[in-house]
Amino acid sequence: MTFGEQPAYLRVASDLREKIANGSLPPHTRLPSQARIREEYGVSDTVALEARKVLMAEGLVEGRSGSGTYVRERPVPRRIARSGYRPAGGASPFRQEHADEGARGTWESTSEQEPASAEVAARLGIEPGERVMRTRYVFRDGGEPMMLSTSWEPLAVTGRSPVMLPEEGPLGGCGVVERMAAIDVVVDNVVEEVGARPGLAEELLTLGGVPGHVVMVIERTYYASGRAVETADVVVPADRYKVAYHLPVR
């Protein structure tokens, strides 16, 4: 087989990737063995192994203990709607988005006070070490983990108030805008920055991914008259979901 000028392992990986894409190697099919790749492509064992590693890192194949390497079933990405504007009614953003989509959304959360790290402090515009309320969420759709979120709120804003705990009290689960309004803090702006990175081991363990899978990370911060009142990291599996934004035209 004649190839171009790419490194040999990338050329082999590219050809195998194309076979996966066009259905020649359908989901759940065993990937050709290292010996078969070596023979078919005329490459060394090292090249064959590196090509398999590339496909595994891309999430196209997965290893099964004692069985071999198999083509993964590629999920059709589902949409997660994002919008800074919510109708009245007290629903949290996640609950409202899932009502709009007809999905079966549930979540679990834990809250704990902690000193702000340097990064969190910079995002909230406070001094490192100032006390914040950290809340960790696992969001599920029909029981399947779909999204993680960690939020931080400065206790200088919410401390000793009925909304100090985001998921408890009379406004528990109502979302940042409604909760802040209850203590006369008017949220007037929200900024979201979207990036991507390999998922952390603990994230992928919860979300059901495999090492090397990419996640989208949404850094969200709510502001009231220029003051940050909440910041959060939202983590979404990039191979299973896509993020859609609803932006008003003014």
Side-chain angles (χ1 to χ4, degrees):
M1 180 175 295
T2 303
F3 291 109
E5 295 302 319
Q6 278 186 315
Y9 76 96
L10 290 181
R11 298 196 294 265
V12 173
S14 177
D15 192 66
L16 291 171
R17 187 188 301 114
E18 176 62 25
K19 290 180 178 179
I20 292 172
N22 66 25
S24 298
L25 289 172
H28 310 296
T29 298
R30 186 174 180 177
L31 195 71
S33 67
Q34 191 166 309
R36 177 70 180 274
I37 292 175
R38 182 188 64 214
E39 178 183 345
E40 181 177 349
Y41 293 93
V43 295
S44 67
D45 282 333
T46 300
V47 169
L49 178 60
E50 290 301 314
R52 290 157 64 93
K53 286 182 178 179
V54 168
L55 298 178
M56 193 168 292
E58 293 175 351
L60 295 174
V61 301
E62 60 184 356
R64 299 179 186 175
S65 180
S67 179
T69 304
Y70 291 79
V71 177
R72 292 184 67 241
E73 185 166 4
R74 301 290 289 172
V76 177
R78 298 171 58 188
R79 186 168 66 95
I80 295 178
R82 306 289 298 172
S83 174
Y85 300 87
R86 299 285 163 199
S92 72
F94 179 78
R95 181 179 294 171
Q96 182 61 49
E97 286 160 3
H98 279 64
D100 294 343
E101 298 296 318
R104 299 164 293 164
T106 60
W107 70 91
E108 55 201 54
S109 65
T110 57
S111 294
E112 184 177 0
Q113 295 186 35
E114 67 177 18
S117 66
E119 179 186 356
V120 168
R123 288 164 59 172
L124 289 173
I126 61 177
E127 291 297 319
E130 286 193 34
R131 304 297 291 179
V132 295
M133 183 66 71
R134 182 198 68 206
T135 303
R136 289 179 170 148
Y137 297 85
V138 178
F139 297 96
R140 304 179 188 274
D141 179 10
E144 175 189 343
M146 59 171 291
M147 184 168 65
L148 306 177
S149 177
T150 303
S151 70
W152 298 269
E153 296 179 354
L155 288 173
V157 176
T158 61
R160 298 183 180 181
S161 77
V163 301
M164 185 173 71
L165 293 168
E167 295 297 321
E168 297 182 23
L171 292 176
C174 285
V176 175
V177 176
E178 290 81 3
R179 289 175 47 250
M180 293 297 168
I183 56 173
D184 297 323
V185 175
V186 179
V187 174
D188 53 20
N189 191 26
V190 57
V191 175
E192 293 195 348
E193 298 182 5
V194 182
R197 59 166 170 75
L200 304 179
E202 57 268 28
E203 293 169 341
L204 296 176
L205 181 63
T206 301
L207 293 170
V210 298
H213 274 196
V214 173
V215 295
M216 289 179 285
V217 180
I218 304 168
E219 293 186 6
R220 180 196 69 208
T221 305
Y222 282 101
Y223 295 90
S225 299
R227 181 185 188 181
V229 297
E230 189 255 22
T231 193
D233 287 339
V234 181
V235 178
V236 181
D239 65 331
R240 302 206 307 266
Y241 295 92
K242 58 184 178 180
V243 177
Y245 282 85
H246 298 265
L247 304 176
V249 177
R250 297 188 177 185

